[in-house]
């Protein structure tokens, strides 16, 4: 240990720069294709050009004779593989289980969306595999397609799965007291309603999906190397698909250039490649190009909605009702129904609405399957309540911020049981809103608006209060694993069940090691994403890592200290009860009230030596746990933004953005701000430019490249002002609430709110492209 960074400077709360950037920014990252077994074949998938078609025949004769081709597999060849699972069961009206179309690794008999894979070609080079794939002749019988949820559920719509899912209905999910909500709405002084669309988006990862698979015939064991959010759950699901024990499959998830929830599941390509590796007796590799990925990656969001908000004559919220048609795509992905049903508690927002009810109808369409995407239902829920409040303020002629303030849940009411599902354990919503309002300089807004108008521009102010659930489900949060191995020299290896795909986990877990055990960052090695190295784990999703993973690290650290006390007591010749541990600086066990003590490194050295250990004590200094936090947490914040609109072109400029966020204990302010920044950027992108569009008649995907699918750039974003309103939770040892999705949850409604204010309209559906904005301005002038 060179002492260049003291633990006191690198513990919880310190703005430590990302440790992993030392390698990632120098090109030393290890991504999926950076480590490929020698002799690996290249795979190319032949994909359907049609959104809906029967496969009458597949002729691979000529393709098999082409140079370099080592094998071609079709759906008939791998019929023994089980279909990909769905882990979110839902029911039809009346209680019958939802229909489950066969989600196969390669399509058999029919395809249900553009990009559905029908054959795998393996060759010595990628070019040879592509040429052979183009030589395969498929005889198609095309069928009518439907791509939007509302259209799919309408009478007479083409059926995606005739005979299996009549009317394309996958499920109907209801929550809340619908009768009480209906009565409250009927008797309210004011009722406002709004129909709105949450658009479909593409994940647009920095690194396209990729995988390498191989099979060891001597051991009868598979290995899959692929960037996924949870190596262990993906291993378990793939093992079931292959019909093998989980111990016969190793999953390695290396560095990954983004995930956002869409890489938390086994895929068709995973299953097909593993089968091919065994069938062909060679390792096999595959990397999607950008267009292939956009046609085959899971998509996010995509709902049609109606919200109704009932208010008293004084402006108190009385009831909220939301009806949603949710697009699930052609197949049910592992967590397909999750986003539209599992986080509906967020409809309560930060408000005292006593009665809330929601109905969600899931629809099959001829589109890619849907999966959770950054927020997974949380942004959609917040959008519903926040847009309804804006519309109510407009129709009642009251100030938007004052209407919100009037209905906020007060801090002294915590814990607070909301009108739907959630019970908030902590939070000071009024303080966060006041912080954001002050920092955003609302008194100066009229002058800024006047200055914009003087330049021929329009300026609008947007506001949204956001809240989300992290590390759920509520009351029974999922556990996470951590194992700590302290070596004889005092260095340590942390083996974690969570997974870092860009968030900075390698940094924050070192900070925890500093604060809990007194370990300097350079003395800690982080291992994750390998089912052979890490015994168990759930992965990273749902803003859970600091809450669930932090709980596991805290518990394992406590066990290290508990064992260390016994060893220290023997070394210091005193009772174990007299030993105190102080993590900073350096980690020290000492006899209470004296200067006698030993360091953690000295205790570790003794633990690895046969002599100093107490009788019956096992050698080594390790601890392992699979622990869950006491409950879910509820990060929250207030977002205020200002946009300028050019009325001649419809172009939107995001000029100012302020957010006051409560993510509980802030482990690293730099990384927390980065997570909020990134979330805002994704929310802004969906609000003004991102849209996965399909041709309504043919079902063709119209946004299959970055020439057709717009993403925000650095120049589109201002400097963000991120304020911290920490209200630590008692549900986990760190007091953290999660930060990964908070920015997106608030950005969607805040940005649309600002655009509507600038245009002088009640609502404009996302994405607010220049064309739509210009058209809205023309309509307003008529």
């Amino acid at each position: 240990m060179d002492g260049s960074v003291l633990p006191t400077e690198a513990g919880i709360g310190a703005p430590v720069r990302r440790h992993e950037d030392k390698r990632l920014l120098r090109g030393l990252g290890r991504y999926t294709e950076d480590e490929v077994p020698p002799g690996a074949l290249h795979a190319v998938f032949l994909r359907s050009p049609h959104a809906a078609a029967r496969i009458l025949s597949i002729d691979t004769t000529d393709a098999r004779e082409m140079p370099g081709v080592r094998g071609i597999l079709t759906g008939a060849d791998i019929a023994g593989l089980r279909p990909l699972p769905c882990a979110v069961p839902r029911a039809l009206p009346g209680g019958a289980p939802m229909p489950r179309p066969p989600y196969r690794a390669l399509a058999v008999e029919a395809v249900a969306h553009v990009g559905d894979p029908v054959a795998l070609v393996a060759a010595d080079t990628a070019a040879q595999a592509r040429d052979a794939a183009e030589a395969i002749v498929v005889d198609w019988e095309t069928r009518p397609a439907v791509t939007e949820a509302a259209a799919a559920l309408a009478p007479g719509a083409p059926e995606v799965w005739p005979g299996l899912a009549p009317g394309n209905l996958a499920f109907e999910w209801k929550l809340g007291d619908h009768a009480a909500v209906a009565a409250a709405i009927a008797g309210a002084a004011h009722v406002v309603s709004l129909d709105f669309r949450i658009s479909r988006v593409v994940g647009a990862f920095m690194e396209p999906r990729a995988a390498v698979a191989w099979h060891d015939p001597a051991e009868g064991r598979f290995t899959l190397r692929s960037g996924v959010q949870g190596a262990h759950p993906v291993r378990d699901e793939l093992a079931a698909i292959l019909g093998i024990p989980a111990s016969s499959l190793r999953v390695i998830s290396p560095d990954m250039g983004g995930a956002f929830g869409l890489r938390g599941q086994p895929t068709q390509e995973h299953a097909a490649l593993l089968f091919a590796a065994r069938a062909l007796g060679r390792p096999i590799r595959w990397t999607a190009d950008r267009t292939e990925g956009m046609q085959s990656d899971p998509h996010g969001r995509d709902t049609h909605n109606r919200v109704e908000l009932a208010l008293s004559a004084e402006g108190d919220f009385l009831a909220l009702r939301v009806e949603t048609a949710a697009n699930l795509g052609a197949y049910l992905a592992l967590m397909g129904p999750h986003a539209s049903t599992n986080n509906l508690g967020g409809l309560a927002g930060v408000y005292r609405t006593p009665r809330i009810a929601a109905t969600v109808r899931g629809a099959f369409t001829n589109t890619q399957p849907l999966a959770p995407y950054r927020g997974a239902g949380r942004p959609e829920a917040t959008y519903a309540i926040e847009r309804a409040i804006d519309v109510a303020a407009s129709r009642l002629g009251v100030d938007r911020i004052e209407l919100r303030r009037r209905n906020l849940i007060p801090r002294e009411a915590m814990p607070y049981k909301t009108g739907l599902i959630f019970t908030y354990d902590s939070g000071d919503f009024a303080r966060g809103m006041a912080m954001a309002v002050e920092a955003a300089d609302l008194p100066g807004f009229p002058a800024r608006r006047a200055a914009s108008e003087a330049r021929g521009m329009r300026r609008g102010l947007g506001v949204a209060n956001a809240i989300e659930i992290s590390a759920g489900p509520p009351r029974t949060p999922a556990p996470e694993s951590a194992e700590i191995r302290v070596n004889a020299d005092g260095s340590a290896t942390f083996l974690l069940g969570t997974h870092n795909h860009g968030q900075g986990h390698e940094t924050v877990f070192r900070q925890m090691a500093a604060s809990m055990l007194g370990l300097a960052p350079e003395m800690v090695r982080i291992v994750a994403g390998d089912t052979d190295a890490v015994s168990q784990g759930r992965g990273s999703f749902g803003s859970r890592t600091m809450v669930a993973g932090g709980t596991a690290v805290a518990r394992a650290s406590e066990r290290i200290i508990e064992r260390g006390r016994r060893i220290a007591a023997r070394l210091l010749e005193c009772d174990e009860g007299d030993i105190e541990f102080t993590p900073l600086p350096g980690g020290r066990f000492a006899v209470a009230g004296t200067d006698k003590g030993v360091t953690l490194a000295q205790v570790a050295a003794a633990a690895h030596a046969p002599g100093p250990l107490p009788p019956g004590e096992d050698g080594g200094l390790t601890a392992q746990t699979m622990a869950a936090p006491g409950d879910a947490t509820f990060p929250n914040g207030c977002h205020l933004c200002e946009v300028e609109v050019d009325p001649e072109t419809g172009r939107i400029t995001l000029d100012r953005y302020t957010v006051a966020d409560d993510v509980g204990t802030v482990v690293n302010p730099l990384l927390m701000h980065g997570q909020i920044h990134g979330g805002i950027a994704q929310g802004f992108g969906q609000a003004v430019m991102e849209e996965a569009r399909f041709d309504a008649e043919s079902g063709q995907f119209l946004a299959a490249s970055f020439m057709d699918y717009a993403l925000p750039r650095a120049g589109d974003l201002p400097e963000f002002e991120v304020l911290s309103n920490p209200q630590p939770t008692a549900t986990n040892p760190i007091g953290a609430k999660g930060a990964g999705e908070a920015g997106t949850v608030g950005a969607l409604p805040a940005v649309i709110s600002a655009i509507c204010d600038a245009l002088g309209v009640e609502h404009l559906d996302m994405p607010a492209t220049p064309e739509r904005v210009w058209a809205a301005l023309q309509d307003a002038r008529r």
Side-chain angles (χ1 to χ4, degrees):
M1 187 168 93
D2 62 15
S4 59
V5 181
L6 295 175
T8 51
E9 299 170 341
I12 292 174
V16 178
R17 294 189 178 276
R18 287 170 31 125
H19 183 275
E20 47 268 64
D21 287 351
K22 297 174 186 176
R23 57 186 175 82
L24 295 177
L25 296 179
R26 292 186 293 159
L28 300 177
R30 295 179 179 177
Y31 295 88
T32 296
E33 285 218 326
D34 285 331
E35 294 184 9
V36 177
L41 299 173
H42 291 260
V44 166
F45 288 90
L46 175 66
R47 299 184 182 274
S48 170
H50 305 292
R54 288 184 59 213
I55 302 173
L56 301 181
S57 65
I58 302 178
D59 186 353
T60 63
T61 305
D62 292 342
R64 292 181 186 277
E65 300 302 318
M66 294 182 69
V69 174
R70 304 301 174 188
I72 297 177
L73 299 175
T74 66
D77 297 317
I78 62 173
L81 290 182
R82 297 171 185 170
L84 276 67
C86 175
V88 186
R90 293 289 175 258
L92 292 165
M98 67 180 178
R100 297 198 179 192
Y103 191 13
R104 302 187 185 281
L106 297 175
V108 177
E109 296 183 354
V111 293
H113 68 85
V114 172
D116 213 352
V118 297
L120 180 157
V121 179
D124 293 336
T125 70
Q128 289 170 332
R130 280 193 296 270
D131 290 344
E134 292 176 0
I136 296 174
V137 178
V138 183
D139 187 9
W140 304 99
E141 180 183 272
T142 59
R143 301 176 53 245
V146 62
T147 59
E148 291 196 353
L153 295 175
E159 290 191 349
V160 180
W161 299 105
L164 177 64
N168 296 315
L169 183 64
F171 63 79
E172 184 176 83
W173 180 252
K174 291 192 172 187
L175 287 175
D177 188 334
H178 286 258
V181 168
I185 290 175
H190 305 286
V191 178
V192 298
S193 62
L194 177 69
D195 295 308
F196 65 92
R197 175 81 190 277
I198 300 289
S199 56
R200 174 181 280 237
V201 290
V202 170
F205 323 112
M206 290 176 63
E207 173 207 21
R209 287 191 300 121
V212 184
W214 60 98
H215 179 256
D216 181 352
E219 238 188 311
R221 199 158 184 263
F222 294 87
T223 299
L224 176 73
R225 181 179 171 88
S226 185
V228 296
Q229 292 177 233
H232 295 83
V234 168
R235 175 201 63 184
D236 294 347
E237 298 292 354
L238 284 171
I241 292 168
L242 292 166
I244 60 174
S247 59
S248 295
L249 172 61
R250 177 188 185 186
V251 171
I252 304 168
S253 181
D255 289 327
M256 182 172 20
F260 313 126
L262 302 178
R263 289 185 171 184
Q265 59 189 14
T267 68
Q268 293 168 291
E269 295 85 4
H270 290 155
L273 290 166
L274 286 165
F275 185 97
R278 179 175 59 184
L280 302 177
R282 296 270 297 275
I284 189 165
R285 61 196 293 183
W286 165 77
T287 299
D289 62 33
R290 189 61 67 179
T291 293
E292 179 185 19
M294 296 177 93
Q295 290 184 334
S296 62
D297 294 344
H299 288 174
R301 314 275 196 243
D302 200 352
T303 59
H304 290 78
N305 312 270
R306 180 175 180 80
V307 59
E308 296 171 277
L309 176 63
L311 303 92
S312 71
E314 295 75 26
D316 295 322
F317 299 166
L318 301 177
L320 183 76
R321 179 164 61 194
V322 177
E323 297 178 352
T324 295
N327 194 337
L328 302 175
Y331 304 100
L332 295 171
L334 183 69
M335 303 299 291
H338 174 92
S340 59
T341 62
N342 285 40
N343 289 316
L344 289 170
L347 290 169
V350 296
Y351 307 107
R352 293 176 284 104
T353 312
R355 300 172 185 87
I356 304 173
T359 300
V360 180
R361 302 178 77 215
F364 291 112
T365 66
N366 294 110
T367 65
Q368 290 95 315
L370 268 285
Y373 174 74
R374 200 168 191 169
R378 303 164 180 86
E380 296 92 319
T382 293
Y383 192 89
I385 178 62
E386 291 299 310
R387 293 303 301 133
I389 296 172
D390 271 7
V391 172
S394 172
R395 296 183 187 175
L396 273 60
V398 299
D399 182 79
R400 293 174 291 167
I401 292 177
E402 286 305 315
L403 184 59
R404 287 173 166 84
R405 186 178 285 123
R406 178 183 182 88
N407 287 279
L408 287 176
I409 299 167
R411 179 180 183 181
E412 54 270 20
M414 298 295 175
Y416 186 86
K417 178 71 175 72
T418 70
L420 188 68
I421 305 176
F422 293 160
T423 296
Y424 302 151
D425 67 293
S426 62
D428 193 339
F429 309 139
R431 182 175 186 269
M433 191 168 177
M435 290 172 63
V437 166
E438 180 181 0
D441 182 26
L442 257 61
F445 176 72
R448 293 191 293 275
R449 172 172 269 176
S452 294
E453 291 174 351
R455 294 185 290 105
M457 309 295 278
R458 294 196 176 199
R459 179 174 287 265
L461 171 70
V463 58
N465 285 318
I467 193 163
E468 59 159 324
I469 182 174
S470 78
R475 296 177 296 279
T476 56
E480 192 47 85
S481 73
E483 181 180 358
I484 299 175
R485 301 174 185 170
V486 184
N487 302 309
D489 64 352
S491 64
T493 301
F494 281 46
L495 299 105
L496 307 175
T498 56
H499 191 280
N500 183 12
H501 35 273
Q503 304 94 322
H505 294 177
E506 295 177 30
T507 302
V508 292
F509 281 118
R510 284 181 168 87
Q511 291 181 253
M512 292 182 191
S515 289
M516 296 174 183
L517 295 173
L519 294 169
E522 62 271 20
M523 298 295 283
V524 179
R525 177 173 177 249
I526 305 294
V527 176
D530 185 339
T531 58
D532 273 11
V534 181
S535 63
Q536 54 189 332
R538 298 295 295 271
S540 291
F541 51 89
S543 302
R544 74 186 298 269
T545 297
M546 290 302 96
V547 180
T551 294
V553 167
R555 296 285 181 263
S557 297
E558 290 168 0
R559 295 181 181 181
I560 290 290
I561 294 168
E562 178 184 356
R563 177 162 160 73
R565 279 197 180 98
R566 295 197 296 271
I567 299 171
R570 184 171 180 86
L571 294 175
L572 297 171
E573 300 179 335
C574 67
D575 290 335
E576 183 181 333
D578 294 332
I579 295 293
E580 295 178 340
F581 179 74
T582 304
L584 300 176
R588 180 175 173 81
F589 296 90
V591 179
T594 75
D595 60 358
K596 290 181 58 179
V598 289
T599 65
L600 176 62
Q602 290 172 314
V603 167
H608 287 81
L613 291 176
E617 192 81 30
D618 292 337
L621 186 56
T622 66
Q624 184 175 1
T625 186
M626 186 77 172
D631 206 340
T633 70
F634 297 92
N636 58 87
C638 180
H639 295 235
L640 289 166
C641 72
E642 294 180 29
V643 301
E644 249 192 4
V645 177
D646 184 342
E648 298 301 319
T649 65
R651 185 177 184 273
I652 294 168
T653 300
L654 183 61
D655 187 57
R656 297 164 64 97
Y657 205 106
T658 304
V659 55
D661 250 313
D662 168 19
V663 297
T665 299
V666 178
V667 178
N668 185 313
L670 285 179
L671 271 62
M672 185 272 283
H673 286 182
Q675 285 290 297
I676 301 298
H677 291 180
I680 293 170
Q682 281 186 287
F684 171 74
Q686 181 172 3
V688 304
M689 63 183 73
E690 295 187 48
E691 185 177 23
R693 296 177 295 111
F694 295 83
D695 181 82
E697 292 187 6
S698 68
Q700 285 295 320
F701 189 42
L702 303 178
S705 77
F706 289 148
M707 295 294 289
D708 309 297
Y709 187 89
L711 289 175
R713 302 183 181 187
D716 296 320
L717 304 170
E719 292 290 329
F720 301 122
E721 184 166 9
V722 179
L723 311 172
S724 185
N725 174 31
Q727 306 294 319
T729 176
T731 62
N732 63 79
I734 300 171
K737 291 183 177 179
E741 293 159 308
T744 305
V745 175
L748 274 178
V751 171
I752 292 295
S753 174
I755 293 169
C756 292
D757 186 51
L759 301 181
V761 300
E762 278 191 350
H763 182 69
L764 183 69
D765 264 340
M766 64 182 75
T769 60
E771 179 184 10
R772 287 185 180 178
V773 170
W774 185 85
L777 284 169
Q778 303 314 303
D779 290 343
R781 288 169 178 167
R782 294 192 181 102

